[in-house]
Amino acid sequence: MQFKVKDFLTQYFLTEYWLGYQRLAMMDRIAKGHRDLFTDQKSRVLLALYDETAAGLDQLPEVERTILTRQYIEGEYQPIVRDELGLKVSAYYRRQVKARRHLADALNEAPTFQRLEISFIP
């Protein structure tokens, strides 16, 4: 399976697993402190996918992480995010593309995504 990073961060995909950052984050919130109770394979896979995605986001520079998190995950309006970061339209767009490229690279290197044969494009 191949996903675009921005689609993965903003919506769910109907596959063998329901994928999307919001879904993975919800699973993580439910499992907080009780990960050992999730013994079925699908839940463990979803939690591992969340861990890999969060680690990929954490590797990004702060501005890039802010752009992806606020625009795609939290659904904030792009001009608001751009103005608060003090970026011009062209600079914001370049940083956004760069952030998606970096996150795609990080997720493509993640062992969990490789085992499931999931790849990402910016």
Side-chain angles (χ1 to χ4, degrees):
M1 292 178 277
Q2 188 171 48
F3 299 120
K4 287 188 175 186
V5 168
K6 63 182 180 179
D7 294 337
F8 173 74
L9 293 174
T10 57
Q11 61 188 358
Y12 297 47
F13 291 93
L14 182 56
T15 61
E16 182 179 347
Y17 305 98
W18 279 85
L19 286 180
Y21 185 84
Q22 289 83 358
R23 168 72 173 177
L24 299 177
M26 180 188 71
M27 285 293 297
D28 183 63
R29 280 194 302 275
I30 292 170
K32 279 287 188 217
H34 305 286
R35 282 182 174 233
D36 56 326
L37 299 177
F38 287 84
T39 55
D40 64 292
Q41 185 178 7
K42 286 188 179 185
S43 295
R44 305 263 293 153
V45 166
L46 289 173
L47 291 171
L49 292 175
Y50 174 79
D51 292 340
E52 299 284 7
T53 306
L57 283 169
D58 288 343
Q59 291 175 10
L60 298 176
E62 188 169 341
V63 171
E64 293 178 9
R65 183 175 53 245
T66 300
I67 289 171
L68 291 180
T69 303
R70 290 182 61 190
Q71 183 178 345
Y72 295 116
I73 297 171
E74 296 172 6
E76 288 187 45
Y77 191 53
Q78 177 186 347
I80 293 172
V81 177
R82 183 187 67 226
D83 291 345
E84 287 182 12
L85 292 173
L87 297 172
K88 294 182 179 180
V89 175
S90 59
Y92 183 85
Y93 178 74
R94 281 193 309 274
R95 293 299 282 269
Q96 181 188 72
V97 169
K98 189 176 175 184
R100 290 197 315 248
R101 188 175 306 122
H102 287 156
L103 183 58
D105 291 344
L107 295 179
N108 286 333
E109 293 172 4
T112 306
F113 287 106
Q114 288 178 353
R115 266 194 304 279
L116 294 174
E117 297 179 0
I118 298 171
S119 62
F120 292 87
I121 56 175

